[in-house]
């Protein structure tokens, strides 16, 4: 899709800052097209081949100059990389000793050991330069060229050498505004005036590596090994100081594309935004390798980034959140459903979707519950038959967690055909059906996820079999917990390690230890939810008993600012639990808030629970987490950082492969001192510059990724989006 330059610049600003209609507190986001960036990559089939530069001509044809001559991209689309193959389309060119490639008047131009030549203009361009080792050139006015071998310059006019000199040369530019060439060397920039043959140094510096003209030829942007400089192209005077607050300062390429400065470095590429920050394009998510050699504008307002291992083409596509949701819905259904579970595709060869396998997880029930919740919201909003079918299929998987094992009301973590489970083999138990095994040791985060999903299904899906099944499973689980004195009791008759809501356990923790607050909050939410749908008085009685006699209301109302490390005289378990902020707890809290607030026993409690939710949201605001911001909207609060939620949803990458990303080296981020919440930077980075992670991860983790998995969008993205649609804070584009 083609975009005007103005539109593209405007969209870059919007994707960085959020749309104007979502800036006001409590407003609704009216879904409108934003710019979704994604990459198409081409790798060299032979790792010994080095790629140096790429260009596109007026027809959108892309060619690359490599250590093996001219090559072209073959195949390739998003998520399915192509390869670079030798360019044999014009045989006479293929057999010449091509030393470099460039663009002149939107046509491909080559240089070999004899001449500057092209297949355009009926092949009439053949300007002999007499420099057998020539490898650099730039075209000037009326088919004139400045040519270099790195140590000398020759000006070619009318097919002959019109001027020459000896000087070190790194790169050459033509300035159509001033009608002169600029020449870059490691320690200086020179200007050559072809009218007078004047050649003079205009700027002296150190470790100069690359340069480009910007602002309609008014400025020279000069890259160095430690940042970049801005120099007036007319006077040669430097403006300001060295710019070194960059994602990485060892620059290798710079180009102005559609009014934006793009930089290449030894650690990826980045674009300077209007607000002075950068969009950072590094890792396999964006590039074949991070050693950027060349950056240039490509067809249809794309950006071509050449690296040593291949070519990355960054696309900018207009897309609404609804269209992005449709893309993710297909991703989940095509690659992430295992026995009805919302699962991860693991064991992949780096980025190759034709490899890998669906893996079991400790949290199959939790991730599936979050996907189920999202699909229930989707059905409630759209009445989609597909969403209803998805609910049925995943609810069947959830139901089997209860029936695959012999313990009444106890859900397995997962189940799999005998002999095929992958993780934590000691926790797997043979099922009564010898064809299957089930995973024991179920945790509290599984339980709260189940109750959340069952409640959303029971309330919002008007399919009686689904509703009946959801309420039945909810009742079964809660009766098990109540019958076992607020523990989940496994096959061996013992409570599991992480499913303990009993007062003797919960209140044994010092008041500042998070487990005391989270367990109290979750169990009250679960009991309220069970009472709301079953009307069994036991659930209401037990909830008030915990709140009134055992201090659970006080526990769950404790301000988040009081949560911290256990004192030195505390028991070892409490110290372990409180060594740092637990982001899995955040996930459990916010899933539980649905039932805590929505099904509160009375208005007084509802108001108190609202205060607790908002108090928690306040401390989470720096993470700009869409799920927590949108979940807070259930309380009706006017301000819940909707614009940050939209930013998260827009900025999340379409490519959910777990690429290894590294940000800890960056010079453009402000690091914080070590702290309890493990907030590494003052401001969180965009999701497409971080590792792929679920909502239970720390969004301030700068480095990570296992290079072997594709995550499902079912819980990561679709849950907050469809919750937002259901709550009416996101409206579909009209």
């Amino acid at each position: 899709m083609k975009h005007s330059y103005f539109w593209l610049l405007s969209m870059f600003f919007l994707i960085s800052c959020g749309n104007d209609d979502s800036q006001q507190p409590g407003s609704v986001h009216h879904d409108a097209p934003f710019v979704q960036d994604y990459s198409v990559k081409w790798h060299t089939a032979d790792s010994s081949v080095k790629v140096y530069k790429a260009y596109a001509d007026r027809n959108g044809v892309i060619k690359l100059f490599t250590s093996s001559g001219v090559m072209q991209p073959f195949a390739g689309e998003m998520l399915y990389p192509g390869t670079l193959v030798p360019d044999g389309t014009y045989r006479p060119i293929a057999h010449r000793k091509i030393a470099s490639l460039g663009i002149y008047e939107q046509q491909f131009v080559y240089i070999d050991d004899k001449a500057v030549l092209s297949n355009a203009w009926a092949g009439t361009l053949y300007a002999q330069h007499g420099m057998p080792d020539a490898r650099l050139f730039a075209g000037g006015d009326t088919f004139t060229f400045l040519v270099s071998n790195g140590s000398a310059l020759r000006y070619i006019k009318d097919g002959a050498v019109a001027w020459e000199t000896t000087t070190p040369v790194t790169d050459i530019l033509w300035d159509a505004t001033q009608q002169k060439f600029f020449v870059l060397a490691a320690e200086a920039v020179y200007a050559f005036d072809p009218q007078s043959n004047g050649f003079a140094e205009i700027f002296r510096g150190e470790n100069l590596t690359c340069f480009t003209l910007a602002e309609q030829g008014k400025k020279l942007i000069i890259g160095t090994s430690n940042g970049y400089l801005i120099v007036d192209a007319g006077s040669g005077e430097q403006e300001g100081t060295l710019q070194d607050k960059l994602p990485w300062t060892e620059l290798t390429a710079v180009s102005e594309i559609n009014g934006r400065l793009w930089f290449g470095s030894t650690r990826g590429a980045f674009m300077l935004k209007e607000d002075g920050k950068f969009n950072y394009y590094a890792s396999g998510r964006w590039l074949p390798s991070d050693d950027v050699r060349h950056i240039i504008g490509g067809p249809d307002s794309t950006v071509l980034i050449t690296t040593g291992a291949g070519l990355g083409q960054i696309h900018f596509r207009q897309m609404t959140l609804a269209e992005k949701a449709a893309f993710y819905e297909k991703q989940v259904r095509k690659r992430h459903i295992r026995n009805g579970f919302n699962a991860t595709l693991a064991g992949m060869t780096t980025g190759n979707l034709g490899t890998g396998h669906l893996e079991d997880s400790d949290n199959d029930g939790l991730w599936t519950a979050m996907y189920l919740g999202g699909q229930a919201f989707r059905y409630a909003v759209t009445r989609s038959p597909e969403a209803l079918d998805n609910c049925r299929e995943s609810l069947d998987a959830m139901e089997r967690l209860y029936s695959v094992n012999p313990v009444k009301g106890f859900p397995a973590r997962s189940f799999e055909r005998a002999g095929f489970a992958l993780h934590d083999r000691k926790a797997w138990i043979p099922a009564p059906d010898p064809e299957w095994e089930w995973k024991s040791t179920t945790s509290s985060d599984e339980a709260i996820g189940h109750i959340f999903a069952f409640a959303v299904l029971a309330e919002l899906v008007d399919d009686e079999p689904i509703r009946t099944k959801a309420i039945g499973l909810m009742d079964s689980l809660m009766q098990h917990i109540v019958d076992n004195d607020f523990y989940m009791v496994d096959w061996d008759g013992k409570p599991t390690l992480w499913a303990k809501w009993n007062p003797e356990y919960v209140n044994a923790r010092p008041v500042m230890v998070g487990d005391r607050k989270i367990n109290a909050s979750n169990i009250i939410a679960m009991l309220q939810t069970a009472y709301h749908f079953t009307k069994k008085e036991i659930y209401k009685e037990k909830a008030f008993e915990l709140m009134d006699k055992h201090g659970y209301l006080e526990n769950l109302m404790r301000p988040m600012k009081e949560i911290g490390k256990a004192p030195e005289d505390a028991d070892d378990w409490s110290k372990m639990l409180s060594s740092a902020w637990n982001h899995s707890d955040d996930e459990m809290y916010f899933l539980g808030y649905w039932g805590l607030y929505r099904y509160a026993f009375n208005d007084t409690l509802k108001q108190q629970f609202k205060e607790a939710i908002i108090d928690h949201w306040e401390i989470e605001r720096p993470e700009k987490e869409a799920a927590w911001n949108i979940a807070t909207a259930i309380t009706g609060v006017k301000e819940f950082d909707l614009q940050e939620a939209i930013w998260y949803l827009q900025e999340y990458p379409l490519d959910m492969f777990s690429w290894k990303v590294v940000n800890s080296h960056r010079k453009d981020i402000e690091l914080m001192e070590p702290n309890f919440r493990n907030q590494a930077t003052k401001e969180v980075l965009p999701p497409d510059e971080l590792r792929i992670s679920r909502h239970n991860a720390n969004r301030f983790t700068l480095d990570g990724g296992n290079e072997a998995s594709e995550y499902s969008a079912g819980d990561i993205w679709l849950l907050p989006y469809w919750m937002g649609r259901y709550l009416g804070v996101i409206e579909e584009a009209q």
Side-chain angles (χ1 to χ4, degrees):
M1 182 183 298
K2 292 187 176 181
H3 317 292
S4 71
Y5 287 2
F6 175 79
W7 179 89
L8 187 60
L9 294 180
S10 301
M11 288 297 103
F12 268 129
F13 181 74
L14 289 178
I15 195 172
S16 304
C17 303
N19 290 354
D20 290 343
D21 65 358
S22 64
Q23 298 300 309
Q24 298 301 316
S27 68
V28 174
H29 174 75
H30 303 285
D31 193 9
F34 62 95
V35 170
Q36 177 67 60
D37 46 358
Y38 64 90
S39 177
V40 176
K41 292 160 287 189
W42 291 269
H43 298 265
T44 55
D46 181 351
S47 61
S48 67
V49 175
K50 302 303 178 186
V51 188
Y52 301 121
K53 58 179 66 176
Y55 291 97
D57 71 1
R58 61 187 293 270
N59 304 309
V61 176
I62 298 171
K63 294 185 186 295
L64 304 96
F65 178 65
T66 78
S67 60
S68 291
V70 180
M71 305 187 84
Q72 61 185 353
F74 172 72
E77 58 183 288
M78 191 187 68
L79 300 179
Y80 298 91
T83 56
L84 298 178
V85 298
D87 176 23
T89 53
Y90 190 66
R91 290 174 296 164
I93 291 292
H95 287 83
R96 299 186 76 95
K97 295 179 180 179
I98 301 299
S100 193
L101 165 72
I103 284 286
Y104 183 70
E105 293 188 358
Q106 295 184 287
Q107 300 282 7
F108 289 119
V109 176
Y110 308 90
I111 190 169
D112 67 2
D113 56 339
K114 296 181 177 63
V116 177
L117 66 154
S118 177
N119 297 325
W121 308 289
T124 57
L125 173 59
Y126 189 82
Q128 296 189 59
H129 50 65
M131 188 180 284
D133 54 350
R135 56 184 175 83
L136 298 167
F137 71 97
D141 193 30
T142 60
F143 290 87
T144 59
F145 294 89
L146 192 59
V147 178
S148 176
N149 61 0
S151 59
L153 283 167
R154 287 185 178 179
Y155 178 56
I156 312 301
K157 183 178 181 180
D158 298 329
V161 177
W163 172 88
E164 63 182 315
T165 191
T166 300
T167 186
V169 179
T170 302
D171 201 1
I172 309 170
L173 289 175
W174 168 248
D175 181 359
T177 302
Q178 299 187 65
Q179 291 287 294
K180 62 184 178 182
F181 291 93
F182 287 107
V183 177
L184 178 71
E187 308 298 331
V189 176
Y190 303 91
F192 170 62
D193 183 350
Q195 298 300 318
S196 64
N197 287 342
F199 183 73
E201 177 184 303
I202 66 164
F203 177 79
R204 178 150 289 273
E206 296 180 353
N207 301 315
L208 311 183
T209 57
C210 53
F211 71 158
T212 195
L213 285 160
E215 297 184 24
Q216 297 179 329
K218 296 176 182 177
K219 310 294 182 187
L220 275 170
I221 309 300
I222 305 173
T224 78
S225 60
N226 192 37
Y228 72 92
L229 303 162
I230 302 173
V231 172
D232 185 279
S235 67
E237 294 294 321
Q238 180 177 329
E239 299 182 0
T241 59
L242 178 73
Q243 304 296 306
D244 59 1
K245 293 188 179 301
L246 315 175
W248 192 238
T249 57
E250 191 176 359
L251 301 181
T252 56
V254 59
S255 184
E256 187 186 51
I257 304 171
N258 298 338
R260 283 280 177 259
L261 285 177
W262 283 78
F263 298 90
S265 76
T266 54
R267 291 195 174 188
F270 37 93
M271 183 204 74
L272 179 61
K273 299 189 294 185
E274 188 169 301
D275 61 2
K277 299 176 183 178
F278 294 91
N279 278 349
Y280 187 33
Y281 298 93
S283 84
R285 180 179 296 154
W286 301 106
L287 305 173
S289 61
D290 283 348
D291 57 330
V292 176
R293 307 291 181 84
H294 187 239
I295 299 180
I296 199 74
D300 301 325
S301 296
T302 62
V303 174
L304 302 178
I305 303 178
T306 305
T307 77
L311 176 67
Q313 184 178 24
I314 310 299
H315 290 250
F316 305 95
R317 172 185 168 189
Q318 282 197 84
M319 179 180 281
T320 63
L321 290 177
E323 290 170 331
K324 193 168 184 175
F327 174 88
Y328 283 142
E329 294 286 358
K330 291 180 180 179
Q331 184 245 22
V332 176
R333 301 311 303 180
K334 285 183 176 181
R335 296 192 293 275
H336 292 280
I337 300 300
R338 181 187 72 84
N339 295 333
F341 291 126
N342 174 43
T344 297
L345 189 65
M348 298 166 61
T349 302
T350 307
N352 186 342
L353 292 177
T355 61
H357 53 263
L358 290 167
E359 69 172 359
D360 59 81
S361 162
D362 269 4
N363 292 317
D364 275 339
L366 175 60
W367 310 142
T368 304
M370 296 170 77
Y371 172 61
L372 252 177
Q375 293 303 296
F377 290 131
R378 177 189 174 195
Y379 176 74
V381 170
T382 67
R383 316 301 291 178
S384 163
E386 179 186 68
L388 188 62
D389 285 343
N390 297 343
C391 288
R392 289 193 184 101
E393 182 176 1
S394 289
L395 184 58
D396 284 345
M398 298 289 283
E399 180 185 36
R400 197 171 185 207
L401 290 173
Y402 292 80
S403 63
V404 75
N405 76 84
V407 184
K408 184 178 180 181
F410 180 86
R413 283 187 181 271
S414 186
F415 57 81
E416 186 51 277
R417 296 183 185 277
F420 286 92
L422 295 171
H423 298 294
D424 193 14
R425 282 299 312 167
K426 292 181 180 179
W428 286 85
I429 309 297
D433 181 343
E435 290 293 319
W436 294 86
E437 295 176 311
W438 63 279
K439 194 168 191 177
S440 59
T441 72
T442 307
S443 62
S444 54
D445 49 354
E446 295 290 289
I448 191 64
H450 287 213
I451 295 300
F452 164 75
F454 298 153
V456 174
L457 288 168
E459 181 179 354
L460 305 183
V461 177
D462 59 355
D463 180 274
E464 194 55 36
I466 287 178
R467 186 174 187 276
T468 299
K469 184 180 293 186
I471 294 173
L473 293 171
M474 176 195 307
D475 185 31
S476 178
L477 172 58
M478 292 311 299
Q479 193 65 56
H480 173 93
I481 291 170
V482 169
D483 288 346
N484 288 285
D485 202 17
F486 296 105
Y487 293 103
M488 285 180 64
V489 175
D490 216 330
W491 63 275
D492 57 2
K494 299 177 183 179
T496 65
L497 181 63
W498 297 112
K500 299 176 180 178
W501 302 274
N502 184 283
E504 290 186 4
Y505 172 82
V506 172
N507 290 334
R509 312 277 77 79
V511 294
M512 76 288 295
V513 176
D515 260 40
R516 184 161 178 157
K517 178 178 170 72
I518 181 61
N519 284 332
S521 180
N522 274 186
I523 194 62
I524 298 304
M526 292 159 68
L527 289 166
Q528 283 188 157
T529 303
Y531 174 75
H532 179 85
F533 289 103
T534 69
K535 301 305 179 186
K536 289 186 178 180
E537 288 296 324
I538 186 65
Y539 298 134
K540 187 174 185 179
E541 292 170 5
K542 290 295 183 181
F544 277 103
E545 179 182 322
L546 291 174
M547 287 190 287
D548 296 341
K549 294 184 179 181
H550 299 287
Y552 276 36
L553 181 58
E554 179 184 352
N555 286 345
L556 72 87
M557 290 299 298
R558 184 163 292 109
M560 280 291 178
K561 66 182 180 181
E562 296 181 13
I563 301 301
K565 293 186 177 182
E568 287 300 318
D569 60 352
D571 61 285
D572 290 342
W573 189 253
S574 293
K575 290 179 181 178
M576 182 277 295
L577 290 172
S578 61
S579 60
W581 190 266
N582 189 329
H583 293 272
S584 285
D585 284 359
D586 293 328
E587 186 171 69
M588 294 166 65
Y589 277 117
F590 278 95
L591 291 178
Y593 288 158
W594 182 267
L596 188 70
Y597 179 81
R598 204 169 178 90
Y599 312 129
F601 290 126
N602 55 55
D603 289 342
T604 300
L605 285 174
K606 195 167 195 175
Q607 182 58 38
Q608 289 178 290
F609 296 154
K610 178 178 180 177
E611 293 172 8
I613 294 169
I614 294 173
D615 172 71
H616 188 180
W617 165 76
E618 285 282 1
I619 206 168
E620 294 296 327
R621 294 181 75 177
E623 294 196 17
K624 300 184 181 181
E625 164 62 77
W628 311 158
N629 280 313
I630 291 173
T632 302
I634 66 172
T635 66
V637 65
K638 294 296 184 182
E639 170 58 56
F640 54 90
D641 285 352
L642 175 60
Q643 66 272 23
E644 306 295 13
I646 299 305
W647 173 84
Y648 172 103
L649 294 172
Q650 290 181 342
E651 288 280 348
Y652 220 92
L654 293 178
D655 181 350
M656 283 200 168
F657 185 78
S658 182
W659 297 106
K660 182 179 179 181
V661 300
V662 179
N663 289 289
S664 53
H665 63 277
R666 293 175 63 164
K667 310 299 184 184
D668 64 329
I669 57 178
E670 186 175 344
L671 296 175
M672 296 182 67
E673 293 295 322
N675 54 78
F676 179 66
R677 288 185 60 83
N678 288 329
Q679 182 174 338
T681 55
K682 185 175 181 180
E683 185 174 357
V684 71
L685 292 171
D688 63 356
E689 296 177 15
L690 298 170
R691 61 176 180 158
I692 297 294
S693 61
R694 291 188 158 97
H695 299 295
N696 65 338
N698 180 5
R699 295 204 60 245
F700 286 94
T701 300
L702 294 174
D703 306 337
N706 63 15
E707 296 283 315
S709 303
E710 186 193 47
Y711 281 68
S712 167
D715 51 298
I716 294 173
W717 198 94
L718 292 174
L719 173 62
Y721 171 74
W722 286 116
M723 181 185 286
R725 288 285 305 277
Y726 173 74
L727 293 174
V729 299
I730 301 174
E731 288 188 353
E732 186 177 8
Q734 300 301 313

